[in-house]
């Protein structure tokens, strides 16, 4: 147990969606490409059809394109707000941060870590009132994340356990004679 005045160590795990050092503009701009394509395409089809019929197209252009961009922007904001970028762990608690949280520098919202369910390819984690499905393919250090979540869930310091596991792990080498 750590001394009363010391804070427990925090362990951070980043998903493949973490923006890293990329700017807000680059991350949001990249995320906007597909939603813009999906929302503008129907407008373009309607405008082309009306133009070929020699109909009036300006209302579709004046209202359709801005509406499409608004929907694409709202969808992108929603998606970035739900896409998990990182998980921070300390004994008994976890803070799940979305891509949006990381981009705007939001403070971690520490909540109780209630449950960790393990399958072959994913983890289901209950933090606070929410449950998150963490696909192994989206977490580069998936096994370490799993071990740290289990340690934190049981109130143990995940950083200290990781250090102890590294020190106590036997080293087998064909050159060691063992």
């Amino acid at each position: 147990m750590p001394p009363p005045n010391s804070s427990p160590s925090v362990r951070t795990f980043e998903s493949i969606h973490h923006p890293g050092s990329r700017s807000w503009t680059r991350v949001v701009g990249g995320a906007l490409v597909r939603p813009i394509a999906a929302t503008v395409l129907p407008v373009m089809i309607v405008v082309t059809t009306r133009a070929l019929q020699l109909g009036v197209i300006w209302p579709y252009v004046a209202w359709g394109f801005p509406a499409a961009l608004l929907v694409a922007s709202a969808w992108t904001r929603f998606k970035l707000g739900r896409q998990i970028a990182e998980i921070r762990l300390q004994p008994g608690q976890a803070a799940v941060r979305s891509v949006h949280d990381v981009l705007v520098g939001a403070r971690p919202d520490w909540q109780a870590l209630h449950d960790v369910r393990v399958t072959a390819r994913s983890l289901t984690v209950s933090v606070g009132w929410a449950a998150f499905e963490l696909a192994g393919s989206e977490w580069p250090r998936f096994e370490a994340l799993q071990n740290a979540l289990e340690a934190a869930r049981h109130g143990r310091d995940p950083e200290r356990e990781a250090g102890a596991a590294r020190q106590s792990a036997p080293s087998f080498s064909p050159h060691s004679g063992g």
Side-chain angles (χ1 to χ4, degrees):
M1 184 162 236
N5 291 337
S6 73
S7 64
S9 61
V10 175
R11 194 130 184 238
T12 303
F13 293 90
E14 296 178 353
S15 77
I16 60 172
H17 305 292
H18 196 281
S21 62
R22 292 181 296 163
S23 69
W24 183 90
T25 307
R26 187 174 190 125
V27 173
V28 173
L32 266 171
V33 172
R34 286 190 177 165
I36 286 176
T39 57
V40 169
L41 182 62
V43 175
M44 290 172 43
I45 291 171
V46 170
V47 168
T48 303
T49 304
R50 291 298 292 162
L52 291 173
Q53 294 173 346
L54 301 175
V56 177
I57 63 169
W58 73 265
Y60 300 103
V61 173
W63 294 100
F65 283 115
L69 295 176
L70 183 66
V71 169
S73 297
W75 177 253
T76 299
R77 169 58 181 92
F78 173 76
K79 180 181 166 191
L80 293 179
R82 302 250 326 140
Q83 199 167 49
I84 299 174
E86 73 178 29
I87 294 178
R88 294 185 182 191
L89 300 171
Q90 63 185 17
Q93 294 184 317
V96 178
R97 298 179 72 208
S98 69
V99 174
H100 182 264
D101 293 339
V102 172
L103 287 173
V104 299
R107 297 174 66 112
D109 180 22
W110 292 100
Q111 306 228 354
L113 178 58
H114 297 294
D115 192 23
V116 178
R117 292 188 200 140
V118 180
T119 65
R121 295 187 180 114
S122 68
L123 297 170
T124 302
V125 181
S126 297
V127 179
W129 292 98
F132 302 97
E133 182 81 18
L134 308 176
S137 60
E138 295 182 353
W139 296 88
R141 297 171 40 218
F142 185 69
E143 190 172 315
L145 172 63
Q146 176 183 338
N147 294 336
L149 279 165
E150 288 289 344
R153 178 180 175 266
H154 295 293
R156 300 186 308 256
D157 187 349
E159 186 64 36
R160 187 174 297 145
E161 276 199 10
R166 282 190 298 268
Q167 289 176 352
S168 66
S171 174
F172 294 103
S173 166
H175 305 293
S176 66

